[in-house]
Every structure is written in structure tokens, then in C-alpha cells.
Amino acid sequence: LIDGHGGPPLHRSVVIIEGRKIKTVGREGEIPIPAGAKVINAHAMTVMPGLVDMHVHLVLLGGGVPYSQWQWGTDWKGPNRTLEIMKIAARQLLMHGVTTVRDVGGDTKLSVDFRDAINAGKEVGPRLFVTGAFISRACSFLAQPAFCTQVTSPEEAAAAARQRIAAGADWVKAWGLQPADIRALAEVTHQAGKGV
């Protein structure tokens, strides 16, 4: 057991959970197991708090893959597979112990809807905090406009932030903006109780 507080690992540990809360932690043989408890044997495994990844793009899978061939580029001639890729990426993260993710760039509607589906138990994945599409002065590096909203002024940056918040984003992602753009975007976002 790694408790996440920097102490040494506790070998042959026992964790007693009641409801959704950890009640007791100790060593095997020292902690009584309540009668009728469901026992999950995790011998030879590591038990630890869930990991948090603060910079994820669920629209991307792994590295070294020519994304243009299978997702949004001109090389791939089939239907858009963005949601399929997001589902695979979310499962991979969860299976690697990542239980909370900040997804910082993707189709806003897909991101918000997928987050809500996970929260409702309709999809499998980590707890998501989503930004939706980038807000930027330079969107040309992305082939799909759904992933980036291009702005040319602080007023447009603030308006794009308002749109993102109204669409249900948890955060707003600013990338490649001028300082005045960022100030305008941040003011709107912070007034709504959201982060940038």
C-alpha cells in the first residue's frame, strides 16, 4: 500500500472501506476484517490513491502515430472517429491508475457530453475536467475547426470564453494569444468561477 503521503510502502496491507470511505488501514493480521465483508485479494499488486493527469488530450492516442491517417486530417477518408478515440484513451488512462484527468483540448460538445456520460455511469473513464476547443490567434496547425476557435482581438477572446463556459466547459484553454487577449479571456472566465 502506498498512501500518497510519502511514507514507506506498507506490505501485506489491509484497507477496510465502508460505503465510499476508507475506514481503516493496517497490516494483515493486525486489522480485523468485518464479518460478511467483500474481500478483494490484491496480493502482489500495488494499492495507492488514483493518479491525476493535468494535461491530457483524449482526442490523441499514444505517440508516434500519424494522426492525420485515422482521425481528422486529409489523409483519412472515413467517418470521424474522434469519440471512439476519446473512449479508448479514457479507458487506457483508467487502466493505468489515472482516476482524474484535465482534458485540455478537443471538440467542446464531444468533450462535455463525454464527461457527462462518464459522470452518469454510461461510459467508462476517469473523472474529467474539460476545456473543449483551444482559444487562439493561430488555429492553422489544427485541421478541424472544432478543436480551435480563432480570435483576432481581446473582445473576441472574451466572447469565445463565454461560449465555452455556456457550453459547459470546466476550464478555458488559451493558447497562442496576446497578453491583452489573455487578460480579457481570464476576466470573463474567473467571473464565472472557472479556471484558465
Side-chain angles (χ1 to χ4, degrees):
L1 170 70
I2 298 172
D3 67 10
H5 293 286
L10 179 63
H11 297 283
R12 303 196 66 79
S13 61
V14 172
V15 179
I16 306 294
I17 299 172
E18 281 188 7
R20 296 180 62 132
K21 300 219 181 231
I22 295 173
K23 181 181 178 190
T24 309
V25 175
R27 198 175 301 279
E28 209 174 75
E30 297 173 3
I31 301 293
I33 298 175
K38 177 182 177 183
V39 176
I40 298 172
N41 185 340
H43 282 265
M45 296 181 188
T46 300
V47 176
M48 59 187 267
L51 300 172
V52 177
D53 194 329
M54 296 296 288
H55 192 118
V56 167
H57 296 279
L58 288 179
V59 298
L60 303 177
L61 265 184
V65 176
Y67 302 116
S68 62
Q69 290 181 6
W70 52 262
Q71 192 176 20
W72 59 67
T74 56
D75 297 342
W76 201 78
K77 302 299 183 194
N80 187 309
R81 297 177 64 194
T82 303
L83 183 57
E84 176 188 354
I85 299 307
M86 291 172 71
K87 289 178 181 184
I88 293 168
R91 281 182 178 270
Q92 285 181 337
L93 286 160
L94 197 56
M95 296 308 296
H96 285 91
V98 179
T99 59
T100 302
V101 162
R102 184 172 61 182
D103 183 11
V104 291
D107 179 292
T108 303
K109 180 165 177 28
L110 282 180
S111 297
V112 169
D113 289 351
F114 187 50
R115 176 205 61 203
D116 293 349
I118 289 172
N119 289 344
K122 295 176 182 174
E123 295 287 351
V124 174
R127 178 175 49 176
L128 294 180
F129 296 94
V130 301
T131 67
F134 295 63
I135 298 172
S136 178
R137 283 191 179 235
C139 290
S140 59
F141 70 100
L142 291 168
Q144 290 288 332
F147 296 109
C148 187
T149 300
Q150 190 158 0
V151 298
T152 60
S153 69
E155 294 76 21
E156 288 181 10
R162 282 188 201 91
Q163 289 172 340
R164 214 58 88 245
I165 292 162
D170 301 298
W171 293 72
V172 172
K173 178 156 186 181
W175 185 87
L177 293 175
Q178 299 295 318
D181 303 335
I182 293 172
R183 278 191 295 277
L185 177 145
E187 183 177 329
V188 165
T189 305
H190 294 159
Q191 285 174 354
K194 308 283 184 178
V196 178

